[in-house]
Amino acid sequence: MYTKAEIINILKDDSQNEALFLKADKIRYENVGDEIHLRGLIEFSNICSSSCKYCGLRTANKNVQRYKMSPDEIIQCAKNAADIGYKTIVLQSGEDKFFTREILCKIISEIKKLDVALTLSIGERSKDDYRAFKDAGADRYLIRIETTDENLYTKMHPNMDFKNRLNCLYNLKELGYETGTGCLVGLPGQTIESLANDILFFKNLEADMVGIGPFIPHPNTPLKDTPKGDFTLALKVMSLVRILLKDINIPATTAMETIWPNGRILALQAGANVIMPNVTKFEYKKKYEIYPGKISKDACYDGNLNNQLLLEKKDIEEKIKSIGRIISNTKGFRKNH
Ligand code: 5AD
C-alpha cells in the first residue's frame, strides 16, 4: 500500500512510468486475469438539469439538440445489444427528470429479463430511488466523484453539493450495488496532491469500479480555453488505482482514446480490464457530446442497426485479441465479492 507521499512522488516523477504500467499490468493479470468485459453503453437522454462547467451537456449549453429515447426504444436497444452477446448493459443519461422512479423501474425490470447485468449511470438521486432501482434489478451504479477537492468541486459544479455527491456513493454502497466512481484528470486548478487524494478516496470507499479519464475542453462550456488533461498522467492515475484496488473492474475509457491514438489499448495494458462500447443509435449518440471528438463509428453504418453493432463489437474484439487478451463471456461482476 502506498502512502500519500509515495503516490505524489510517483505522479510527479516520469522516469519510472514504464515500470509503473508494467506493475499495474501484472497486478491486473494476477487478480482479474486476461478477460476483458464488454459493457454495452446506451446513452438514452442528453437532457440535463445540471451545469457542470466541463460538460457539453450542461443545461446552459443551448447549442445541443436535446433528445430522450422512449422506454420502448431503450428496451429495444438493450435487446439488440444482448442479442449480439453483450452481458452487461449500461444505461447512462444526463440528470433528466422525465425519467421518474416508476418509469426507470419499468425499464430496468424489462431489461433484466434479457439475462444481463445492468448498470445505471444517471446521476444523483434519492436513496429511495436507488433502493427502488436495486429492487427492480439494477446491479451496478456509476457516479464519479469527479474530484475530491471540495473547493474545486464547488467551482466546477454550480448549485451542486459535494456532501450530497458523497452521500450518493455511501448510499449506493449501503444498498449493495457494485459501486463505480472515478475522477477527471486535468481540471483547471487541480493539483497532483488532490489526484493522490482521489486515489486514496477510491481505496477508502472500497469502490468496485473506477473510471479515470482526461478532461477534454468542450467549445460550448466555460472551460473552452482550458488546456486538455494529460494522457500519461491519466494513465498513471489509473495504474495506481489498479495497484491499490487490485481486483476491481477498471474501464479503458473512451476519453483516453479520444485524446490519444490507441489510448484504450494502452490503458488495457496498464491496468484496465473493461471496455464500454457505445450501442446507442448513431442519430442519438452524435448528440451526446459530453466532450468533442468522442470516438464514434458511423462509417460502416449500412442502415441495419444490428449489423453496425456487430461490426463495432468485432472491431474492438479484434483489437483486444491482438494484444493477447480474451473476451469474457460472463457478466463480469467483481471477483471475490
Ligand atoms: N472531458 C472529459 N470527461 C468528461 N466528462 C464530462 N465532461 C467531460 C469532459 N469535458 C465525464 C465526467 C462524467 C462522465 C460521464 O463524463 O467525468 O462523470
Side-chain angles (χ1 to χ4, degrees):
M1 174 69 189
Y2 290 129
T3 63
K4 183 165 152 185
E6 284 168 332
I7 293 173
I8 291 173
N9 278 338
I10 292 169
L11 290 176
K12 282 189 173 163
D13 172 13
D14 273 335
S15 70
Q16 310 291 321
N17 288 354
E18 285 310 314
L20 176 72
F21 300 147
L22 274 175
K23 181 170 179 172
D25 195 48
K26 182 164 181 278
I27 290 180
R28 184 272 309 157
Y29 174 71
E30 289 167 353
N31 290 275
V32 297
D34 273 340
E35 288 193 349
I36 309 278
H37 304 287
L38 299 181
R39 323 290 202 195
L41 175 68
I42 304 176
E43 295 164 335
F44 68 89
S45 165
N46 69 354
I47 295 170
C48 193
S49 56
S50 293
S51 259
C52 309
K53 291 248 172 78
Y54 45 79
C55 183
L57 301 184
R58 65 203 307 270
T59 220
N61 182 6
K62 302 298 174 207
N63 287 318
V64 186
Q65 267 184 46
R66 304 284 172 174
Y67 72 86
K68 57 172 172 286
M69 288 164 62
S70 71
D72 285 345
E73 265 180 304
I74 299 169
I75 294 159
Q76 187 57 48
C77 188
K79 278 189 182 144
N80 293 340
D83 276 351
I84 64 164
Y86 284 101
K87 300 275 183 283
T88 291
I89 301 297
V90 183
L91 294 183
Q92 189 178 87
S93 70
E95 303 225 358
D96 183 349
K97 302 278 185 304
F98 169 84
F99 289 93
T100 58
R101 185 189 301 178
E102 290 68 29
I103 292 176
L104 279 164
C105 285
K106 186 99 204 344
I107 296 169
I108 293 165
S109 55
E110 284 301 314
I111 293 179
K112 282 300 287 183
K113 291 180 186 161
L114 304 171
D115 188 29
V116 290
L118 181 60
T119 307
L120 298 176
S121 176
I122 59 175
E124 296 180 14
R125 294 271 180 154
S126 68
K127 188 171 186 181
D128 286 341
D129 277 0
Y130 287 158
R131 186 182 293 108
F133 303 153
K134 187 91 192 16
D135 291 344
D139 302 284
R140 312 188 185 119
Y141 205 103
L142 306 174
I143 181 163
R144 289 185 179 172
I145 192 72
E146 314 294 358
T147 173
T148 57
D149 174 339
E150 187 164 355
N151 266 328
L152 180 59
Y153 185 94
T154 308
K155 278 189 203 142
M156 291 293 112
H157 303 97
N159 307 318
M160 286 169 75
D161 181 359
F162 183 68
K163 303 262 174 337
N164 194 49
R165 194 85 173 170
L166 283 178
N167 272 330
C168 286
L169 280 163
Y170 299 144
N171 287 339
L172 291 163
K173 275 296 249 186
E174 200 182 307
L175 290 164
Y177 279 92
E178 282 206 347
T179 304
T181 188
C183 65
L184 284 163
V185 175
L187 290 172
Q190 186 180 43
T191 61
I192 292 289
E193 183 185 357
S194 104
L195 286 171
N197 286 330
D198 294 352
I199 295 168
L200 291 170
F201 169 76
F202 306 147
K203 175 82 184 167
N204 284 334
L205 180 73
E206 294 190 65
D208 301 296
M209 305 169 279
V210 174
I212 306 290
F215 158 69
I216 303 169
H218 189 292
N220 297 323
T221 65
L223 301 187
K224 61 180 189 301
D225 297 322
T226 304
K228 65 173 185 287
D230 183 74
F231 174 74
T232 305
L233 182 58
L235 206 56
K236 288 175 74 175
V237 172
M238 193 202 76
S239 290
L240 283 164
V241 171
R242 169 61 72 199
I243 293 168
L244 267 73
L245 290 96
K246 302 185 183 318
D247 65 349
I248 68 167
N249 283 318
I250 300 183
T253 57
T254 306
M256 294 273 201
E257 183 100 1
T258 303
I259 66 157
W260 198 269
N262 246 2
R264 284 182 305 182
I265 294 294
L266 294 173
L268 290 178
Q269 295 175 305
N273 69 320
V274 168
I275 288 204
M276 298 167 67
N278 198 318
V279 298
T280 319
K281 272 190 207 161
F282 187 67
E283 60 170 302
Y284 294 128
K285 79 173 159 190
K286 69 183 177 203
K287 295 179 183 152
Y288 200 86
E289 199 186 56
I290 296 176
Y291 48 80
K294 215 166 111 249
I295 50 141
S296 125
K297 284 222 164 171
D298 66 315
C300 57
Y301 185 45
D302 64 357
N304 181 329
L305 185 67
N306 274 319
N307 276 351
Q308 187 210 13
L309 283 192
L310 208 53
L311 285 171
E312 290 193 23
K313 186 159 174 280
K314 289 241 162 71
D315 184 65
I316 194 72
E317 287 179 351
E318 285 310 313
K319 285 189 180 143
I320 290 168
K321 286 181 196 154
S322 77
I323 56 165
R325 305 279 278 278
I326 303 158
I327 316 296
S328 170
N329 58 12
T330 74
K331 297 192 177 85
F333 284 98
R334 183 179 181 187
K335 298 246 164 75
N336 316 318
H337 278 260

